[in-house]
Amino acid sequence: MKNKQWRSVAMAAIVASTLALSACGGSADAAVEQTDVTIGLIPVLDPGLVFIALEKGYFKDRGLNVKLKSGVGGATNATAMAAGDIDVGFGAYVTILQAHNKGILDVAIIAEAARASKGLAGIYSLADSDVVKPADLTGKKLALAQVRTIPDLAAQAVLKDLDVDYDKINRVEMPYPEMGAGLARGDFDAAWLTEPFITLLKQNYKVNQVVDAYSGPTDGLAIAGFYTTKKFAKANPTTIASIQAGLAEAAKFVKSSPDEARDLIQVHTKLSDEVMNQVTLPDFPADIDIDKIAVNANLMVDAGYLDKPVDIKSLIIK
């Protein structure tokens, strides 16, 4: 197995961060209050809009000097924001909503980062496995990058919708880059993978897709977003509006020039040409869809991640 390439994107998985509350808007045409802005993210596919906006100069055109600070995961970004090391963070809504619910950060969602597309994530087994369909997972071991995050939530929602008893699946944690080797050793029977790790797995093994992770109740799910603190948003409304405008322009560029967009994302993810040409990209939205984000909160209540529903609208800055 080509462990090197798996490890080359090792610090780039799990989606996760923090979240939200409302604040005032501003005009992207006015002078920004803060020109130097640090965005905390993970060098994976989902924050691709930031990579495109940087490479195309969409932030610079609006008077912003944006720098990136890479973290291991959403919790790292949340900690960095709490310490004042970053101004804007990237994270999965599941982690964002958990942080909001626990009062870890007083934050506000300023833009969507990625929505689920077909084939972006799924549960996979090796071709010689006896796990070939969702029902076969009962009584088996399923590897997840981390429990009680988006993989766990999506798996539970999709499998429950297919009448699979999720409580009868033994979930084990395993970093994405180690899942291929773990499957080959028989450490677990199936693994929940997202891109680019699906493409990397297929390069090294013959596999079964047991189920698409974003199907049924998670079809088109809003996966991750960009956020800041309520304090920063109130103090810098034009800065926030300028970031939003840059990201929206990047989203439009993806629609008009998808091949070039892949090239720009590759600059930051460092994936090989072979992998980058094959990966399934998420959908990159140009706007905020409150209802799509709210699906996360509803699924989290059903799964016991949240005690009560969250008013997503009150967490959004438009």
Side-chain angles (χ1 to χ4, degrees):
M1 184 186 85
K2 301 174 184 176
N3 277 324
K4 275 192 172 180
Q5 190 154 29
W6 277 76
R7 291 183 181 278
S8 71
V9 284
M11 305 304 280
I14 309 175
V15 68
S17 259
T18 24
L19 155 80
L21 209 51
S22 67
C24 47
S27 170
D29 295 324
V32 296
E33 299 85 3
Q34 181 171 319
T35 56
D36 293 335
V37 176
T38 301
I39 299 179
L41 43 68
I42 311 166
V44 288
L45 302 172
D46 292 1
L49 292 180
V50 166
F51 304 146
I52 294 168
L54 275 174
E55 296 299 317
K56 295 294 292 183
Y58 297 150
F59 292 140
K60 185 177 180 180
D61 290 346
R62 292 168 172 79
L64 296 171
N65 176 31
V66 171
K67 296 182 180 180
L68 304 183
K69 186 179 180 67
S70 293
V72 178
T76 302
N77 282 335
T79 301
M81 182 170 288
D85 294 335
I86 63 173
D87 304 301
V88 173
F90 159 84
Y93 292 117
V94 174
T95 308
I96 286 173
L97 290 170
Q98 287 173 324
H100 166 72
N101 187 54
K102 295 175 182 177
I104 294 173
L105 281 177
D106 187 11
V107 299
I109 299 173
I110 63 172
E112 283 200 51
R115 293 178 191 162
S117 58
K118 292 297 182 185
L120 179 65
I123 295 176
Y124 286 82
S125 64
L126 297 188
D128 60 356
S129 171
D130 58 356
V131 176
V132 295
K133 59 184 184 298
D136 297 335
L137 289 165
T138 302
K140 298 296 197 302
K141 288 185 179 180
L142 172 65
L144 300 165
Q146 192 175 9
V147 298
R148 297 184 72 81
T149 56
I150 183 64
D152 202 4
L153 182 71
Q156 181 171 355
V158 170
L159 293 174
K160 180 180 177 181
D161 189 59
L162 296 172
D163 295 322
V164 176
D165 190 341
Y166 199 62
D167 291 334
K168 293 183 179 179
I169 298 174
N170 184 12
R171 298 168 296 155
V172 297
E173 291 189 340
M174 176 67 63
Y176 286 122
E178 305 300 327
M179 287 185 178
L183 284 169
R185 289 192 303 266
D187 295 346
F188 36 83
D189 304 286
W192 196 104
L193 288 158
T194 189
E195 289 285 28
F197 299 100
I198 293 172
T199 296
L200 291 167
L201 181 73
K202 290 178 178 178
Q203 286 186 341
N204 295 288
Y205 303 98
K206 292 182 179 180
V207 302
N208 303 308
Q209 185 194 61
V210 180
V211 67
D212 190 313
Y214 296 126
S215 58
T218 60
D219 185 23
L221 183 70
I223 305 169
F226 298 103
Y227 66 96
T228 187
T229 64
K230 183 180 179 183
K231 180 179 179 181
F232 184 87
K234 284 188 172 182
N236 303 279
T238 305
T239 298
I240 293 300
S242 297
I243 294 171
Q244 291 172 320
L247 293 171
E249 191 168 1
K252 292 177 182 177
F253 179 80
V254 173
K255 300 298 183 186
S256 64
S257 306
D259 291 338
E260 187 178 349
R262 278 182 180 267
D263 293 339
L264 299 180
I265 293 172
Q266 184 182 16
V267 171
H268 293 268
T269 59
K270 309 298 184 184
L271 294 169
S272 70
D273 290 345
E274 183 182 7
V275 173
M276 195 66 210
N277 289 335
Q278 294 182 46
V279 294
T280 298
L281 293 179
D283 289 333
F284 295 114
D287 58 356
I288 294 178
D289 188 318
I290 294 173
D291 291 337
K292 286 185 180 296
I293 297 174
V295 173
N296 287 273
N298 295 334
L299 291 176
M300 290 171 73
V301 171
D302 291 343
Y305 291 18
L306 295 174
D307 296 330
K308 57 183 179 181
V310 176
D311 179 9
I312 301 298
K313 186 175 181 179
S314 70
L315 309 177
I316 304 295
I317 298 176
K318 283 198 172 184

